Amino acid sequence: MRKEIIINVEPFETRIGIKEDGQLVEYMVERAGDKLAVGDIYKARVTAVLPGMQAAFLDIGYERSAFLHVSDLTVDIGEYEKIEDRLSGDDVIFTSIASKEKEIQIENVLAKGDEILVQVTKEPIGTKGPRVSTQLSLPGRYVVLMPKADLVGVSRRIEAREERHRLKEIIAPLKPKGMGVIVRTAGEGMDKRHFEADIKFLTRLWKKLAKKAEKAKAPSLIYKDMEIITRLVRDVFTEDVTAVVIDSKKEYREILSYLRSFAPELRSRVHLYKEDTPIFDAYEIEKETEKILNRIVPLKKGGFISIDHTEALVAIDVNTGRYRGARDQEETALRTNLQAAREIARQLRLRDLGGIIVIDFIDMELEENRKKVLDELRMGLKRDRSRTKALKVSEMGLVEMTRQRVRPSLGQLLSETCPTCGGSGRVLSLESIEMRLERSLKRMRSRTNEKRIQLYLNPEFAFRMLSESARRIIHLEKRFKLEIDVKDDPNLRREEFVVRSSRTGEDLTYLLEP
């Protein structure tokens, strides 16, 4: 399988597309000003302890209070035993720690006004604040350091018993006293020197953080995880990745610098994109991103799936559409469901959908056909870096499944509630339209030498560009060496814009299209 990571870096936004055998399967966006991220460590102040919920609310300096459940407390390993641990992709997060003799009560551990170190495990979603844990972890290239858990572990994605045993024997003597070390998937097949360098780096980092935490006043940020590009290289760029292509010289050099220390054998797979055509156009990603918010996803031969978000879950419906098959209804249903199972597994990754997901497959009479569809879905989910669990197909053709959710879905990031419909539909946010406009002008600039243009926008968007985002117009003019005259047009929809030549009046809008 050919796996490529394509990175587009703009002044206000970084976008990453991951393709497998030419098909886009993951899409990530990080914008300037994003404050919270999973993995950040804060010195927090307890603002409330709720015994009835066995939870506490903490001030970490963010708009909404952070939520800490009793299961996310670190306790004395000598007194308490670990019941279960699970892997988030590779990274270790303990789900529960309980006493051998008695159940932990949060009111016996925390009180209002206490100051503690916590790590963000789930970003704010909707009206909920971030979820945090006192079970800290510092991920490296090959291992995860657990400063407050004395253990040795291996990623569950490394399945060979001999390899797991070999890795544990290597790690045991390298593990810092009183701390825990978990081998990540990237550590499979690696030798002692790789782990030794990783553990030394993470141990030094923890000592610095511990000293910083002692002096800091709550609430304050103690540790900020790496930027999205370096984090991606650390977590995703393994031997199965064929190439990483990036259009920023600065970030290209940073990637090479990181790999020089941790994975020099992968440096030859990193390439700097230098062409005039925008990188996402060249790799046929831009058109795919335009469809990410679409409710309907077409399948081959006329079938389609529809994806609907509710407050409690994500509902996915499978339809035959125009497809009627060549034999009978059972055969038609099976073929459509198999196609849908593959596409659903891809869409869950692409849109970063999480929580409870219910899939309504087309009804099938034969149990063996239901099993084929479920096996196809599970096979597609194996490639997912987030934890998933799919239950068997019910008598009504429904599959209930869960997918780990640690941040808002891509739809929530890229869009906002429509002020006209009150939430029954979605439109691109003004910030997203700004980014689309900037990408479109970049595309136009690579196709024409026009120096002065008239830019017609929806009145609401035009007002924003001339007031709140006036600096963006200045930035666009400097960046593309254009004189831009912004005009409003009430006939344009919020997401539409028209470009005309100031010199000839010619409509140049067609040059904006991918």
Side-chain angles (χ1 to χ4, degrees):
M1 179 179 66
R2 181 176 177 81
K3 187 174 181 179
E4 300 170 300
I5 299 175
I6 313 302
I7 306 173
N8 169 225
V9 181
E10 300 289 349
F12 296 95
E13 181 183 66
T14 297
R15 300 186 299 162
I16 298 172
I18 299 179
K19 302 184 74 174
E20 292 177 355
D21 289 335
Q23 189 174 46
L24 185 67
V25 295
E26 289 188 50
Y27 178 60
M28 290 161 273
V29 178
E30 185 171 88
R31 288 172 176 162
D34 287 348
K35 187 175 181 181
L36 269 181
V38 171
D40 292 352
I41 297 176
Y42 288 82
K43 188 170 186 178
R45 179 182 295 107
V46 179
T47 57
V49 178
L50 306 178
M53 294 177 59
Q54 281 300 293
F57 287 97
L58 290 73
D59 180 9
I60 63 173
Y62 195 60
E63 181 180 354
R64 293 188 291 271
S65 295
F67 178 82
L68 173 68
H69 190 260
V70 67
S71 62
D72 293 315
L73 283 171
T74 296
V75 292
D76 183 0
I77 297 297
E79 182 182 358
Y80 299 92
E81 65 176 354
K82 173 170 64 72
I83 289 182
E84 180 186 10
D85 66 274
R86 56 188 168 89
L87 295 172
S88 170
D90 289 318
D91 304 338
V92 170
I93 301 175
F94 293 105
T95 53
S96 56
I97 297 178
S99 171
K100 294 179 179 180
E101 301 176 353
K102 62 181 180 179
E103 185 179 347
I104 302 172
Q105 299 295 318
I106 196 166
E107 64 268 27
N108 296 330
V109 181
L110 292 178
K112 183 177 180 180
D114 285 352
E115 296 186 356
I116 57 175
L117 283 183
V118 295
Q119 188 168 34
V120 178
T121 59
K122 183 182 291 186
E123 293 185 11
I125 298 176
T127 59
K128 297 179 181 178
R131 181 156 181 169
V132 297
S133 171
T134 59
Q135 300 155 13
L136 310 181
S137 63
L138 295 174
R141 172 72 179 173
Y142 302 110
V143 302
V144 176
L145 181 70
M146 307 286 293
K148 298 184 178 183
D150 193 356
L151 55 88
V152 172
V154 178
S155 166
R156 291 180 183 175
R157 292 176 184 260
I158 301 176
E159 299 178 350
R161 182 177 299 178
E162 298 80 5
E163 177 64 5
R164 294 177 67 87
H165 179 71
R166 182 188 75 87
L167 292 171
K168 287 183 178 180
E169 286 193 329
I170 292 176
I171 294 299
L174 299 177
K175 183 183 77 66
K177 186 176 180 180
M179 299 186 189
V181 175
I182 310 296
V183 179
R184 305 189 69 180
T185 305
E188 186 172 11
M190 296 298 166
D191 55 31
K192 178 180 177 181
R193 62 186 176 88
H194 292 91
F195 300 116
E196 196 168 30
D198 225 14
I199 292 172
K200 283 183 178 179
F201 170 77
L202 294 174
T203 304
R204 287 196 303 266
L205 175 61
W206 169 245
K207 288 179 179 178
K208 289 181 181 178
L209 297 180
K211 289 181 179 179
K212 182 179 179 180
E214 286 179 6
K215 300 176 182 178
K217 293 182 179 180
S220 60
L221 176 65
I222 302 300
Y223 168 72
K224 180 74 177 173
D225 200 6
M226 296 175 174
E227 297 296 328
I228 186 171
I229 295 176
T230 311
R231 194 165 67 238
L232 180 89
V233 171
R234 180 192 69 192
D235 297 341
V236 183
F237 189 14
T238 53
E239 287 291 339
D240 64 333
V241 175
T242 311
V244 173
V245 187
I246 186 168
D247 61 0
S248 168
K249 186 177 294 184
K250 177 177 178 291
E251 275 74 14
Y252 168 74
R253 289 171 177 168
E254 288 180 0
I255 293 175
L256 293 182
S257 177
Y258 177 85
L259 292 175
R260 186 179 295 111
S261 301
F262 294 99
E265 68 279 5
L266 297 178
R267 296 177 79 235
S268 62
R269 303 187 190 185
V270 183
H271 308 284
L272 177 63
Y273 182 79
K274 301 178 181 179
E275 304 301 322
D276 291 334
T277 302
I279 187 170
F280 269 30
D281 287 355
Y283 284 85
E284 299 181 342
I285 294 177
E286 198 70 70
K287 289 182 179 180
E288 283 292 312
T289 66
E290 301 289 340
K291 305 173 186 176
I292 285 179
L293 298 183
N294 290 355
R295 177 177 176 268
I296 302 298
V297 180
L299 303 173
K300 294 180 180 178
K301 299 185 179 180
F304 67 89
I305 63 175
S306 60
I307 303 174
D308 293 289
H309 296 252
T310 71
E311 192 70 25
L313 51 82
V314 175
I316 301 178
D317 187 42
V318 181
N319 295 275
T320 56
R322 301 188 308 274
Y323 181 55
R324 294 294 178 266
R327 297 185 180 180
D328 55 28
Q329 184 176 350
E330 182 77 6
E331 181 71 15
T332 300
L334 175 61
R335 291 188 179 184
T336 304
N337 283 340
L338 289 174
Q339 287 181 21
R342 290 189 290 269
E343 184 60 29
I344 288 168
R346 183 177 83 98
Q347 289 295 327
L348 294 180
R349 297 172 66 189
L350 187 59
R351 301 175 184 227
D352 200 12
L353 299 174
I356 299 172
I357 300 162
V358 177
I359 307 169
D360 185 8
F361 285 105
I362 301 168
D363 290 342
M364 294 175 292
E365 296 293 334
L366 301 179
E367 180 62 32
E368 61 181 289
N369 287 342
R370 295 179 182 176
K371 185 177 184 303
K372 287 179 182 178
V373 172
L374 184 61
D375 289 344
E376 191 72 26
L377 176 64
R378 287 174 173 168
M379 183 66 67
L381 294 176
K382 282 186 177 181
R383 296 180 179 178
D384 201 330
R385 292 189 292 127
S386 295
R387 289 189 316 279
T388 60
K389 183 177 181 180
L391 305 179
K392 64 181 295 185
V393 183
S394 72
E395 291 296 324
M396 299 180 67
L398 299 176
V399 171
E400 297 175 29
M401 65 167 290
T402 60
R403 184 174 184 271
Q404 178 193 19
R405 178 171 62 181
V406 297
R407 58 182 57 84
S409 69
L410 202 58
Q412 290 172 300
L413 173 66
L414 297 180
S415 63
E416 60 187 25
T417 303
C418 176
T420 302
C421 69
S424 61
R426 301 195 69 86
V427 296
L428 285 180
S429 66
L430 290 173
E431 185 177 4
S432 293
I433 301 174
E434 284 185 11
M435 297 310 305
R436 176 182 282 184
L437 173 61
E438 183 161 351
R439 292 193 292 270
S440 296
L441 290 178
K442 180 179 180 180
R443 189 175 297 118
M444 185 200 76
R445 203 70 187 90
S446 69
R447 298 170 177 173
T448 181
N449 292 321
E450 200 69 35
K451 301 296 183 182
R452 296 179 60 200
I453 62 170
Q454 294 175 337
L455 179 61
Y456 292 84
L457 307 173
N458 169 274
E460 180 188 12
F461 186 41
F463 179 80
R464 176 186 173 93
M465 293 299 287
L466 292 171
S467 56
E468 298 176 23
S469 298
R471 61 186 179 87
R472 182 65 68 88
I473 293 293
I474 297 172
H475 162 76
L476 294 175
E477 289 181 329
K478 288 183 177 179
R479 182 179 182 192
F480 301 120
K481 297 178 180 163
L482 281 171
E483 287 185 26
I484 302 175
D485 183 15
V486 177
K487 297 179 179 294
D488 68 278
D489 184 347
N491 294 318
L492 293 177
R493 287 185 292 124
R494 178 181 163 108
E495 302 170 12
E496 290 181 325
F497 28 82
V498 172
V499 174
R500 296 184 183 279
S501 168
S502 296
R503 180 173 54 86
T504 65
E506 179 187 0
D507 190 343
L508 304 176
T509 308
Y510 70 97
L511 296 175
L512 306 179
E513 302 298 328

